[in-house]
């Protein structure tokens, strides 16, 4: 989704803004722009496409200046073109915006009646005009922004400059991320800490409805009623290296290969051979979790798939009822909440609009408490949850989520074990599960060694238009995740089914043009899955089976491939079997020549509904 960078400094800021936008590219966007204020004049450059295209336009005619704002736009109102790209300028005001203003049409009509003409289709230009109207009343930029945001419905993060107030940028946020970077004699705004790591690792996280004014000398936060507010300065642990691609061809490949370390980090100091440490959910965590009689897990995309796996674990081992729902559905229906239910939000970014809104909605619905499983410590979801368990994946840049998923599974496995132990799971069983979880980093490392075989396998998919993924039990969500990876980055239409459903519809699609990918670890359902595979074979479907190394499953030389994966145990198998599916999607996409890290139309962080 849209990214924002802004600066108030003594040096020329355009190169810093461009570097910041490049660090935000992973969020997904389709146009970019920047504007610099110097000597009472604003110079602006915008371009459709990538930041490097906007950068080339800037370098062809560069301009100096120490105050500036910049933006990557993911189109919502109006197509991706130069006219709709940010920054937008109306009267004295130059603005960049992330989010959606819901009452913009009514405001636009009012402003047109006042004589404002608009050059784009965006809701952002309407906001700029409103700020300009407020400036005309004699308000300062800060006061004009405050007055304007009070009139807005919807979500926004903005950075605004006024031609009449040199050296100043005003930012504001509601429902979309924005933070302040504190430098030495310079201040910045950014959508995340990564955008600013090139200039500072000191950040101030803004609360909902905060407005902030930055100049070279200071950053002052105000609440919506205009009162100055104190906010802590954090030192980010992020290093510039963490967002480098290194030797890998794509971020996605790097992130797939980082999984053994990311999972080990997520488990570190939280579990040992004797069990899960009691305090990992914070001081009140153990007591609150002991009261839980059921869980509602809410998330989007890949995080939703992690929740589906957790349902199998928690119901099997802790015997607690679990429901899992996508956030955009949950938030708009009246879910029944039995007494003592825990609300669990899973989110890599912690800023996904629907997940955040669902969590806020849950407050009204009488849950025992909320737990966030998240990768970004200062994100909104984490800050608003009662309990949190951080995944420690490090920054994930590739739009298609990989290490975020396996670290979410690791965190959810800890939750399942914790709940299971509290509810009296037999000691020997519990210790076996703990031992399996401790083996997970090594098991993933082994699975990564399949890469050369998967590169060869990927050839079979290059010219395909469809693929069907099958799994049973906790491997059905793994099949869902595998199919999501393939469709996201290779643009091959892929679907996943619980294998037992094959005969109820999808079998009609199976012929020699429909590859069927089966996730087939050892377990009580393996024989049933084998029967499903026979049904595919009998119809001439091409089979690719990811099977446990110990499983008796044979390929059919002509129309089938079996890849051996060492699952390392039934409990951790879903996380391990995910890895070859990630690699398959990745290598198919590479062969098809798609934009692997920034697939078309998709965004990493979906901060609008
Ligand atoms: C987008 C991303 C996905 C991600 C989903 C949920 O669709 O492209 O990779 O799974 O959002 O994001 P979250 O940050 O809440 O996990």
């Amino acid at each position: 989704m849209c990214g924002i960078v802004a600066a108030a400094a003594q040096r020329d800021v355009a190169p810093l803004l461009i570097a910041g936008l490049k660090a935000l590219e992973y969020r997904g966007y389709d146009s970019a722009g920047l504007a610099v204020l110097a000597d009472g004049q604003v110079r602006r450059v915008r371009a459709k496409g990538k930041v490097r295209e906007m950068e080339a336009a800037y370098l062809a005619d560069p301009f100096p200046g120490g105050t500036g704002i910049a933006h990557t736009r993911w189109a919502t109102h109006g197509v991706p073109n130069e006219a709709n790209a940010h920054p937008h300028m109306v009267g004295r005001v130059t603005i960049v915006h992330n989010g959606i203003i819901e009452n913009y049409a009514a405001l636009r009509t009012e402003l047109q009646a006042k004589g404002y003409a608009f050059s784009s289709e965006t809701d952002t230009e309407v906001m700029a005009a409103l700020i300009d109207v407020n400036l005309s009343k004699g308000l300062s930029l800060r006061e004009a922004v405050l007055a304007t945001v009070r009139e807005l419905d919807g979500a926004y993060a903005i950075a605004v400059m006024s031609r009449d107030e040199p050296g100043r940028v005003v930012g504001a946020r509601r429902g979309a991320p924005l933070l302040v970077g504190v430098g030495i004699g310079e201040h910045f705004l950014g959508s995340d800490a990564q955008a600013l790591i090139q200039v500072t690792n000191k950040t101030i996280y803004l609360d909902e409805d905060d407005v902030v004014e930055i100049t070279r000398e200071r950053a002052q936060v105000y609440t919506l009623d205009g009162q100055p507010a104190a906010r802590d300065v954090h030192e980010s642990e992020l290093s510039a290296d963490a967002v480098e691609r290194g030797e890998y061809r794509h971020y996605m490949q790097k992130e797939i290969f980082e999984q053994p370390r990311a999972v080990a980090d997520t488990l570190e100091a939280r579990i040992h051979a004797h069990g899960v440490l009691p305090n990992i959910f914070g001081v009140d965590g153990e007591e609150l979790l002991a009261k839980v009689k059921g869980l509602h897990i809410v998330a989007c995309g890949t995080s939703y798939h992690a929740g589906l796996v957790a349902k199998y674990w928690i119901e099997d081992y802790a015997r607690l009822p679990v429901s899992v729902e996508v956030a955009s559905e949950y938030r708009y229906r009246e879910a029944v909440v039995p007494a003592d239910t825990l609300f669990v939000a899973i989110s890599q970014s912690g800023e996904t609009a629907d997940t955040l809104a669902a969590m806020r909605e849950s407050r009204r619905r009488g849950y025992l408490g909320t737990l966030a499983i998240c990768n970004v410590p200062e994100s909104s979801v984490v800050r608003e949850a009662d309990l949190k368990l951080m995944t420690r994946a490090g920054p994930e840049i590739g739009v298609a989520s990989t290490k975020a998923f396996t670290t979410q599974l690791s965190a959810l496995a800890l939750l399942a074990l914790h709940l299971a132990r509290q509810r009296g799971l037999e000691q020997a069983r519990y210790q076996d599960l703990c031992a399996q979880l401790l083996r997970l980093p090594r098991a993933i490392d082994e699975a990564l060694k399949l890469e050369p075989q998967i590169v060869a396998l990927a050839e079979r998919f290059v010219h395909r238009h469809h693929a069907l993924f099958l799994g049973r039990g906790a491997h059905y969500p793994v099949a869902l995740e595998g199919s999501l990876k393939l469709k996201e980055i290779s643009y091959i239409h892929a679907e996943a089914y619980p294998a037992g459903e094959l005969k109820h519809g999808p079998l009609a699609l199976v012929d020699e043009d429909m590859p069927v990918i089966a996730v087939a670890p050892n377990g009580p359902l393996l024989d049933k899955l084998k029967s499903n595979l026979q049904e595919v074979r009998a119809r001439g479907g091409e089979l690719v089976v990811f099977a446990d190394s110990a499983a008796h499953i044979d390929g059919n030389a002509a129309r089938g491939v079996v890849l051996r994966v060492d699952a390392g145990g039934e409990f951790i198998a879903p996380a391990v079997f995910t890895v070859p599916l990630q690699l398959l999607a990745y290598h198919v996409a590479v062969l098809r020549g798609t934009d692997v890290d920034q697939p078309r139309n998709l965004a990493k962080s979906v901060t609008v509904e």
Side-chain angles (χ1 to χ4, degrees), residues 253 256-257 260 442-458 518-519 544-549 561-568 573 575-587:
Q253 191 187 25
I256 290 172
F257 277 85
R442 202 151 6 112
I444 292 180
D445 207 26
E446 285 301 312
L448 288 168
K449 294 185 182 150
L450 289 169
E451 192 181 36
Q453 292 172 59
I454 291 174
V455 171
L457 180 65
V519 188
V544 174
V545 184
F546 290 96
D548 218 299
S549 25
V561 181
V562 177
L563 263 96
R564 300 286 170 183
V565 184
D566 192 350
V576 180
F577 274 76
T578 299
V579 174
L581 300 184
Q582 295 169 339
L583 285 169
L584 178 64
Y586 172 74
H587 285 289

Side-chain angles (χ1 to χ4, degrees), residues 13-53:
V13 292
L16 308 180
L17 297 176
I18 290 171
L21 290 186
K22 285 185 177 166
L24 291 175
E25 282 192 296
Y26 77 94
R27 294 166 69 85
Y29 69 104
D30 31 47
S31 60
L34 70 84
V36 169
L37 170 64
D39 304 324
Q41 296 295 322
V42 175
R43 299 272 311 266
R44 168 175 72 166
V45 57
R46 299 179 295 173
K48 184 179 169 201
K50 297 289 182 192
V51 173
R52 60 176 180 275
E53 287 155 55

Side-chain angles (χ1 to χ4, degrees), residues 57-75:
Y58 167 78
L59 290 173
D61 182 17
F63 36 85
T67 312
I69 60 179
H71 192 257
T72 45
R73 172 172 187 258
W74 189 81

Side-chain angles (χ1 to χ4, degrees), residues 67-147:
T67 312
I69 60 179
H71 192 257
T72 45
R73 172 172 187 258
W74 189 81
T76 55
H77 292 71
V79 296
N81 61 16
E82 190 178 327
N84 286 331
H86 300 213
H88 287 286
M89 295 168 71
V90 177
R92 282 148 284 204
V93 173
T94 308
I95 187 170
V96 292
H97 165 220
N98 168 12
I100 292 181
I101 303 304
E102 285 165 6
N103 57 338
Y104 91 106
L107 293 170
R108 190 179 166 106
T109 313
E110 277 172 38
L111 288 159
Q112 278 165 334
K114 287 191 177 133
Y116 278 93
F118 295 97
S119 61
S120 77
E121 301 155 68
T122 63
D123 49 349
T124 308
E125 219 185 345
V126 171
M127 215 187 315
L130 259 188
I131 297 172
D132 196 56
V133 168
N134 283 317
L135 286 173
S136 311
K137 295 177 184 160
L139 299 181
S140 69
L141 179 61
R142 165 171 54 89
E143 291 163 339
V145 169
L146 275 163

Side-chain angles (χ1 to χ4, degrees), residues 404-603:
F405 180 69
T406 44
T407 54
Q408 284 167 348
L409 290 183
S410 308
L412 289 161
L414 290 170
L415 174 66
L417 289 176
H418 184 95
L419 291 169
R421 189 70 193 126
Q422 277 181 328
R423 278 146 196 85
L425 180 70
E426 187 218 334
Q427 180 68 16
R429 179 95 176 102
Y430 175 69
Q431 286 205 330
D432 168 53
L433 297 176
C434 290
Q436 286 191 42
L437 188 52
L438 285 164
R439 282 202 301 271
L440 181 56
R442 202 151 6 112
I444 292 180
D445 207 26
E446 285 301 312
L448 288 168
K449 294 185 182 150
L450 289 169
E451 192 181 36
Q453 292 172 59
I454 291 174
V455 171
L457 180 65
E459 301 273 359
R460 292 180 173 234
F461 286 81
V462 184
H463 301 296
R464 300 298 189 151
H465 300 291
H466 308 278
L468 188 60
F469 286 71
L470 301 176
R472 295 194 78 123
H475 292 88
Y476 164 52
V478 172
L480 281 170
E481 178 57 11
S483 77
L484 176 64
K485 290 296 83 106
L486 189 69
K487 80 179 88 152
E488 278 179 312
I489 58 170
S490 74
Y491 315 147
I492 293 174
H493 166 230
E495 291 192 58
Y497 268 87
E501 275 290 293
L502 190 64
K503 287 194 277 296
H504 299 288
L507 196 55
L509 298 172
V510 173
D511 61 14
E512 56 279 10
D513 293 327
M514 173 65 95
V516 176
I517 297 119
V519 188
N522 265 350
L525 293 175
L526 183 63
D527 284 337
K528 299 209 178 296
L529 183 77
K530 281 193 205 165
S531 316
N532 302 137
L533 300 186
Q534 289 306 337
E535 292 156 13
V536 172
R537 236 174 233 147
R539 274 127 196 119
E542 180 175 344
L543 268 174
V544 174
V545 184
F546 290 96
D548 218 299
S549 25
H552 296 292
I553 204 160
D554 59 343
N556 172 321
R559 298 208 57 81
V561 181
V562 177
L563 263 96
R564 300 286 170 183
V565 184
D566 192 350
E570 200 184 316
F571 176 38
I572 60 170
V576 180
F577 274 76
T578 299
V579 174
L581 300 184
Q582 295 169 339
L583 285 169
L584 178 64
Y586 172 74
H587 285 289
V588 172
V590 169
L591 288 174
R592 286 167 67 94
T594 60
D595 189 348
V596 172
D597 285 332
Q598 291 164 34
R600 68 184 183 201
N601 306 340
L602 298 181

